[in-house]
Amino acid sequence: MKTILAARRQFASDNNAGICPEAWRALDEANQGHARGYGDDLWTEKAADLIREIFQTDCEVFFVFNGTAANSLALASLCQSYHSILCHEIAHVETDECGAPEFFSNGTKVLLLTGENGKIDPAGIERMVKRRTDIHFPKPRVISVTQATEVGMVYSIDELKAIGEAAKEFGLKLHMDGARFANAVASLQVAPSEITWKAGVDVLCFGGTKNGTHVGEAVVFFNRALANEFDYRCKQAGQLASKMRFLSAPWVGMLQDGAWLSHARHANAMAEELFDQLKALPGIRILFPRQANAVFAELPEHVIAGLRDRGWMFYTFIGKGGCRFMCSWDTTKEDINAFVADLKSFLPTPFPKTS
Ligand SMILES: *Cc1c(COP(=O)(O)O)cnc(C)c1O
């Protein structure tokens, strides 16, 4: 068999990173002896308790395998099939989930809003809700926001409150796709409650994978009534893990001593470093301010090709286009220096050689 060599760290996605030590240790501990299946174990209880502690409220918590399932099942639990979900036009639920929210809700329509930096403009909510109020059009029922957004920006407390108020005014539920929730909390330096239930969020899909666990996202219902029979929904969708402790234990590892925040803070800081190095270079246009762990930039075609030639991996189709560089819990300054050194080698030198 061919040996699979350790590959170098990349900037393609924070899900390219491995498992952080805290999650790994918890997995190892959870691997001692036997435990009951399907979430009826002490690890799952502890993980849910820690989430309740962090959010300072008695929320209902479920663990599923990935973000698409978390979002789709959470959204499905908020709507009937004749309802609609309002989200940003570049929201992951619209662009990257293969129609799963519509599928799991049996046909709920996703309606698209616009706004700067991947954030919903609250005025657009009213426009969309009032555009059609007749029986021939699916009735708006949910707003979905992404925190941090798909272009690495972060909704402030006030921005979320404004959306929460619009939701209340128009009788809508509020869902938050928090695949990078930890990066948003680290960026804003706020209590997690401030940007969730206190701002009117009913359900949060709290991401673990991109922040250092091996797999698994938490679906957190602040509005407990909405969690009614969610366990059945998970089971039917194939999202009830029989060895549930291996989804929940890493959350204990991440949450009990604050690793979830220190890893997010680190990823954000590395993105800041990359941002600072890139913005100083000629011919490179930064596309968004840096707030979480992403940097978006426009690079000349030959530079993109050259970097790819040297084995660097990154996406060019996410969000609004341009190159996306994601930093992870394990990104190092050396990774950034190596990447930027390669990038610089494709740019014109300030002092052209004379022969
Ligand atoms: C990665 C991501 C998800 C989850 O994706 P899965 O691949 O299904 O785990 C959800 N929302 C956003 C914004 C993401 O970046």
Side-chain angles (χ1 to χ4, degrees), residues 15 66-69 71 92 97 146 148 150 177 179-180 210 217:
N15 70 13
N66 61 28
T68 298
N71 283 333
H92 197 273
E97 298 188 354
T146 310
E150 286 73 5
D177 174 350
R180 298 190 179 91
K210 285 172 179 154
E217 316 280 289

Side-chain angles (χ1 to χ4, degrees), residues 13-15 65-71 90-93 95-97 145-151 175 177-180 205 207 209-210 215-217 318 324 326:
S13 177
D14 29 7
N15 70 13
F65 289 102
N66 61 28
T68 298
N71 283 333
I90 61 164
H92 197 273
V93 296
T95 64
D96 288 289
E97 298 188 354
V145 293
T146 310
Q147 175 78 319
T149 74
E150 286 73 5
V151 292
H175 161 261
D177 174 350
R180 298 190 179 91
C205 295
T209 314
K210 285 172 179 154
V215 64
E217 316 280 289
I318 291 178
R324 186 190 76 164
M326 292 303 312

Side-chain angles (χ1 to χ4, degrees), residues 155-174:
Y155 283 95
S156 68
I157 294 178
D158 286 345
E159 285 170 331
L160 286 170
K161 276 190 177 157
I163 291 174
E165 274 156 29
K168 211 172 274 160
E169 183 180 348
F170 301 115
L172 309 172
K173 300 280 182 272
L174 184 52

Side-chain angles (χ1 to χ4, degrees), residues 174-226:
L174 184 52
H175 161 261
M176 179 176 278
D177 174 350
R180 298 190 179 91
F181 182 76
N183 301 93
V185 173
S187 174
L188 289 164
Q189 298 181 280
V190 292
S193 59
E194 296 288 335
I195 53 168
T196 53
W197 61 274
K198 285 188 183 166
V201 173
D202 293 296
V203 187
L204 166 71
C205 295
F206 188 0
T209 314
K210 285 172 179 154
N211 198 23
T213 68
H214 66 312
V215 64
E217 316 280 289
V219 182
V220 182
F221 285 89
F222 302 110
N223 181 341
R224 293 177 65 100
L226 295 171

